[in-house]
Amino acid sequence: MAHLLLTGGTGLLGNYLVRDMLKAGAELALLVRSSRKEPAAARVESLMRHWENEDGRVYPRPHVLAGDLTQDALGLDASDRRWVARNCDAVMHNAASLTFRAAGPDDEPWQSNLYGTRRVLDLCREAGIRQFHHVSTAYVCEIGRAHV
């Protein structure tokens, strides 16, 4: 079974998507940014332990890709991008910045919501992934309109 690559899996909506998709039997790969306190894999493990404690069951672990929407190629090296091309047939882009104020195109939410979405689409093209699902925010519309 091919993996679904999910961005934003550790966010407010994303963590529920992770749980619900795993319950439904989906094979998941998660693009996750490391935080100041935890590397990407540890963030996902914390999320999985939370749901296991909450639901009283064991969940299969998603494949973790440490990356960042604000970096070229999503911060993925060539090996990770090849893994995506071989193992993923769909992407659900759920990551977004919910920042209300934007100083300009070099800051949030531009970097995540507009340029990050472009980078995810670039990865889809590079990997030959034709199924792209986007969970949008109002900020994408406003940024896109201002950028045109």
Side-chain angles (χ1 to χ4, degrees), residues 33-148:
R33 179 179 55 210
S34 294
S35 72
R36 291 182 196 134
K37 296 178 183 179
E38 291 184 298
R43 292 182 70 202
V44 172
E45 186 58 30
S46 294
L47 171 66
M48 300 310 301
R49 278 183 276 141
H50 165 79
W51 285 126
E52 288 174 342
N53 289 336
E54 185 84 15
D55 296 347
R57 63 177 284 188
V58 175
Y59 287 102
R61 294 309 191 252
H63 182 84
V64 179
L65 296 160
D68 188 331
L69 290 176
T70 66
Q71 296 180 9
D72 289 337
L74 301 172
L76 300 175
D77 63 23
S79 173
D80 285 335
R81 293 192 313 275
R82 282 192 303 273
W83 187 92
V84 170
R86 284 192 311 272
N87 294 286
C88 297
D89 67 353
V91 169
M92 180 176 285
H93 180 41
N94 176 65
S97 170
L98 302 179
T99 301
F100 285 100
R101 293 185 212 200
D106 293 331
D107 295 315
E108 293 294 349
W110 293 74
Q111 286 299 313
S112 293
N113 296 2
L114 181 65
Y115 304 128
T117 300
R118 286 182 181 164
R119 290 180 185 106
V120 173
L121 287 167
D122 289 344
L123 177 66
C124 288
R125 279 190 283 281
E126 177 186 334
I129 297 171
R130 297 180 55 101
Q131 291 185 53
F132 178 78
H133 309 278
H134 186 211
V135 180
S136 186
T137 69
Y139 310 104
V140 172
C141 295
E142 288 301 314
I143 290 171
R145 187 173 63 194
H147 191 64
V148 173

Side-chain angles (χ1 to χ4, degrees), residues 16-35:
Y16 287 94
L17 288 171
V18 168
R19 181 195 62 180
D20 292 349
M21 288 180 179
L22 290 174
K23 271 186 179 179
E27 294 284 335
L28 291 182
L30 303 180
L31 177 72
V32 179
R33 179 179 55 210
S34 294
S35 72

